[in-house]
Amino acid sequence: MKKLIIITSLAITAFIAGCGGDEKAAKATTTETPKSMVADEPPAYDPKRGEGKFTAESLDLTDKIDNTLATSGESVAKVKCFSCHKVTDEKLVGPGWKGVTTRRAPAWIMNFITNPEGMIDKDPEAQAMLEICLVRMPNQNLTDDEAR
C-alpha cells in the first residue's frame, strides 16, 4: 500500500511540475514579430469610408456633373434600384435616398452600392438599416461608372 501512495504522490508531483512551467523561460522562448516587420496589415475599419475599395481620395468630386454619365446612371437606377428605393425620404423596401449625401460620405455610399455584403457584415450603420428594412440589399454587380 505504501508503494501505491508513493507512486501516486510522485505522479501528481510530476504532473503539477510539468503543467506549471517556468514563466521566465516561457517568456524567453516566446518570439514576437515587431510591428514594423508585419507586412500588409489591413487598415483599421473606417466607418466614414465603409468596407470597399473607394476612399475620399479615390473619388474626385471636383468635376462638374457629366450629363452622359448621369443619364446612363438614371437608366441603371430605373432598372436596378427604383423597385426598392425612392428618391424621396419615404422607405419602400430600402430607405429613401433624399438627403443621403448629407448623412453619408461619398466613399461610404460608393462602397455600400458596390459591396453591400461587406458593408452589412462590418458597418454598424448598414446593420442598423438592415434592422429597420429587414431585407439585405442584394449586390447588383454595378460597374464603378454605374455606381457613380
Side-chain angles (χ1 to χ4, degrees):
M1 183 72 168
K2 283 186 175 184
K3 286 184 181 179
L4 181 61
I5 293 174
I6 292 173
I7 292 173
T8 304
S9 297
L10 288 174
I12 291 173
T13 303
F15 178 75
I16 291 172
C19 289
D22 183 7
E23 285 184 32
K24 289 180 183 176
K27 284 183 180 178
T29 59
T30 302
T31 58
E32 292 184 26
T33 306
K35 247 186 181 293
S36 61
M37 294 179 68
V38 176
D40 298 327
E41 264 190 44
Y45 181 76
D46 179 359
K48 291 183 180 174
R49 181 179 83 77
E51 181 69 17
K53 68 180 180 178
F54 294 99
T55 63
E57 297 77 26
S58 70
L59 292 173
D60 182 11
L61 300 177
T62 59
D63 293 341
K64 292 183 179 178
I65 293 177
D66 180 335
N67 288 328
T68 306
L69 191 58
T71 302
S72 172
E74 183 179 23
S75 298
V76 170
K78 285 178 181 177
V79 172
K80 295 192 174 195
C81 307
F82 290 162
S83 59
C84 295
H85 298 279
K86 290 188 174 196
V87 294
T88 66
D89 58 358
E90 183 182 352
K91 175 185 163 282
L92 193 54
V93 174
W97 288 352
K98 183 177 182 181
V100 70
T101 57
T102 60
R103 294 188 308 270
R104 307 278 183 251
W108 191 98
I109 295 168
M110 289 292 288
N111 285 325
F112 189 76
I113 292 170
T114 58
N115 183 28
E117 300 96 346
M119 289 286 287
I120 292 170
D121 289 345
K122 284 192 172 181
D123 189 82
E125 294 295 324
Q127 292 167 357
M129 283 191 302
L130 177 60
E131 287 182 20
I132 293 167
C133 297
L134 303 175
V135 176
R136 290 177 75 93
M137 180 167 147
N139 190 335
Q140 297 291 340
N141 297 308
L142 298 174
T143 66
D144 293 352
D145 283 342
E146 288 171 332
R148 180 69 186 236

